[in-house]
Amino acid sequence: PSQFPVVSTYYKAGADAYLNIYNGGKTNTEIATSKVESELSNVQRSQSRQEIHYTAAVYFYDVFCFISYKGLLEQDIRDREKQLAEINQLYKNGTVLKSDVLRAELRLSKQRMLLTEIENSIKIASQKLNILIGRPDDEIINPQIPVNETDAIALEAMDSYFDLAKGSSFKLQISEKEQELAKLKLKNVKSNILPTLGFFGEYAFAYPQIQFYPYALSLYSNGMVGLKLKIPISSWYTNQHKVKEAQIRLRKQEVEDEEVKDNIRQEVQENYIRYKESVLRINLAEENIKQASESYRIVQNTYFNQLSLLTDLLDAETQLLQSKFELTTAKVNAKMQYYQLQKAIGNL
């Protein structure tokens, strides 16, 4: 009998390489998926930028609206102080009752409290805007808006906004990219049953030589090159369930895409109609100011001629101030409604 040397240690060092020739199109599908994911990320970034622009506009016009309220109220307080002095003079002359003086003072006190509330609202809205744009919380903001900036903007036909939304709406772009990813996912799953072919090569040094007969306590090297073919037979059965799952996900994404399109059309039409409505509110508010001013002038003259009650005068004052507030609110709301329309079509 022959006896062969046996050692308790084994050493091996080598290198191998594999070059894919065909793998069922998975590589091209993965490249396409990466491109779509990159495009989706860019669209989502643009959508986030648009959301920031809209939020900044909301905070900006909040500050502008409250500052406008403050200016109107300060002027009203000055007018009420002059009016209170006149009522006090009438009381001293015995023309009016003490109750008229008390009511006028009560009204002035409420206006001053309302002014405090508006000033606090300015601080809160300014802080929100400062935080959003990265400025110190207590930095003073004095929004300047040109006079023609709050004028009504002429809109195009509604169909043109529908067409713009189809091409530039970020929600629709995201939905289309997600649908495209679902199609690529289905394509990638279907390729699991396809064979793979590749060129391979490997080379290694080992000690001792125990791979071939006879064994020897010596260094040996071995290398191979060739083609490797792999046929996933088991996937022909197991992959059916994965394909059905991917098909269901694709169908779900297609349904969601149709829902997104419907929501965009509804959003564009709603904002379009609401903007036109807000323009009408501006015209109505301007007309209300004219009527309230005339009513206040008449009641003021009749009161100081002892032909009407103080309650009538206070009601007329309240209506006039409210009409001025409503005009400012209507202009700001119209501007925000226009921004919502631009946001819906992806043009903000």
Side-chain angles (χ1 to χ4, degrees):
S2 301
Q3 184 176 357
F4 299 96
V6 177
V7 294
S8 59
T9 57
Y10 180 77
Y11 305 94
K12 183 178 182 180
D16 63 85
Y18 181 82
L19 177 63
N20 174 52
I21 298 177
Y22 176 75
N23 65 344
K26 283 181 172 293
T27 301
N28 292 333
T29 303
E30 291 174 357
I31 293 174
T33 301
S34 298
K35 290 182 179 179
V36 174
E37 289 176 346
S38 177
E39 294 171 356
L40 178 60
S41 299
N42 291 332
V43 175
Q44 290 174 338
R45 182 180 60 182
S46 299
Q47 185 186 37
S48 298
R49 185 185 298 112
Q50 178 180 254
E51 290 291 341
I52 293 174
H53 289 171
Y54 178 75
T55 304
V58 171
Y59 291 164
F60 177 86
Y61 278 98
D62 279 347
V63 177
F64 171 77
C65 191
F66 286 125
I67 290 179
S68 300
Y69 288 166
K70 179 183 177 182
L72 293 174
L73 193 56
E74 287 177 339
Q75 180 61 43
D76 184 73
I77 289 175
R78 288 192 292 268
D79 294 340
R80 300 294 77 76
E81 289 175 345
K82 294 179 181 178
Q83 186 182 86
L84 178 60
E86 294 176 358
I87 294 175
N88 277 319
Q89 188 62 39
L90 292 176
Y91 172 70
K92 291 179 181 179
N93 295 334
T95 308
V96 298
L97 299 175
K98 180 64 176 179
S99 59
D100 287 359
V101 178
L102 295 177
R103 287 177 181 176
E105 290 177 346
L106 179 61
R107 167 64 187 277
L108 185 59
S109 177
K110 289 182 178 180
Q111 295 297 78
R112 288 169 178 167
M113 186 62 211
L114 180 59
L115 179 61
T116 302
E117 294 178 1
I118 292 177
E119 290 175 345
N120 292 335
S121 298
I122 293 174
K123 293 179 182 178
I124 294 173
S126 298
Q127 184 190 31
K128 290 181 180 179
L129 181 58
N130 284 329
I131 292 175
L132 182 64
I133 62 180
R135 300 171 67 180
D137 291 2
D138 56 351
E139 186 166 344
I140 298 176
I141 296 179
N142 186 19
Q144 300 294 329
I145 300 179
V147 177
N148 58 352
E149 183 70 16
T150 55
D151 293 343
I153 301 174
L155 297 181
E156 301 177 6
M158 189 181 298
D159 291 339
S160 63
Y161 289 101
F162 287 150
D163 295 336
L164 288 174
K166 292 178 182 179
S168 58
S169 173
F170 294 117
K171 292 181 180 179
L172 185 58
Q173 292 181 42
I174 290 175
S175 178
E176 291 174 348
K177 296 300 179 184
E178 290 177 345
Q179 185 177 353
E180 191 173 350
L181 286 175
K183 291 180 180 179
L184 292 173
K185 174 67 176 178
L186 176 60
K187 182 180 179 181
N188 189 54
V189 172
K190 287 182 176 180
S191 65
N192 288 337
I193 62 174
L194 298 178
T196 59
L197 178 66
F199 177 81
F200 77 96
E202 59 182 36
Y203 197 83
F205 291 92
Y207 178 86
Q209 193 286 113
I210 59 174
Q211 185 173 1
F212 305 104
Y213 182 85
Y215 302 152
L217 297 179
S218 61
L219 181 68
Y220 85 101
S221 61
N222 183 35
M224 289 187 293
V225 293
L227 295 175
K228 181 182 289 187
L229 176 64
K230 181 180 178 181
I231 302 177
I233 298 177
S234 61
S235 296
W236 293 351
Y237 172 74
T238 60
N239 199 57
Q240 296 178 6
H241 308 291
K242 297 180 180 179
V243 171
K244 290 181 179 179
E245 179 186 1
Q247 289 174 341
I248 292 174
R249 291 183 180 274
L250 175 58
R251 179 55 184 163
K252 176 184 176 183
Q253 192 59 50
E254 289 174 349
V255 174
E256 291 179 354
D257 183 68
E258 292 299 323
E259 182 183 7
V260 169
K261 292 179 180 179
D262 293 340
N263 291 337
I264 289 176
R265 290 201 308 272
Q266 184 271 331
E267 187 177 355
V268 170
Q269 180 171 342
E270 179 181 356
N271 291 321
Y272 185 91
I273 295 174
R274 291 301 183 189
Y275 176 74
K276 286 195 169 183
E277 177 185 318
S278 62
V279 173
L280 293 178
R281 288 184 182 277
I282 294 176
N283 298 331
L284 180 61
E286 291 175 345
E287 186 65 26
N288 288 342
I289 288 179
K290 295 179 181 178
Q291 295 175 356
S293 298
E294 181 63 16
S295 174
Y296 171 71
R297 184 187 66 80
I298 294 173
V299 174
Q300 185 183 38
N301 291 335
T302 56
Y303 172 75
F304 286 104
N305 290 325
Q306 300 302 300
L307 298 176
S308 63
L309 300 176
L310 179 63
T311 53
D312 297 331
L313 178 60
L314 295 180
D315 290 341
E317 293 170 353
T318 302
Q319 188 61 44
L320 177 58
L321 181 61
Q322 184 66 31
S323 299
K324 293 179 180 179
F325 280 0
E326 289 176 353
L327 176 60
T328 301
T329 303
K331 289 183 177 180
V332 171
N333 288 343
K335 198 65 179 179
M336 297 313 305
Q337 204 67 55
Y338 179 78
Y339 284 150
Q340 287 183 352
L341 176 61
Q342 296 302 312
K343 177 185 174 184
I345 64 176
N347 193 31
L348 185 58

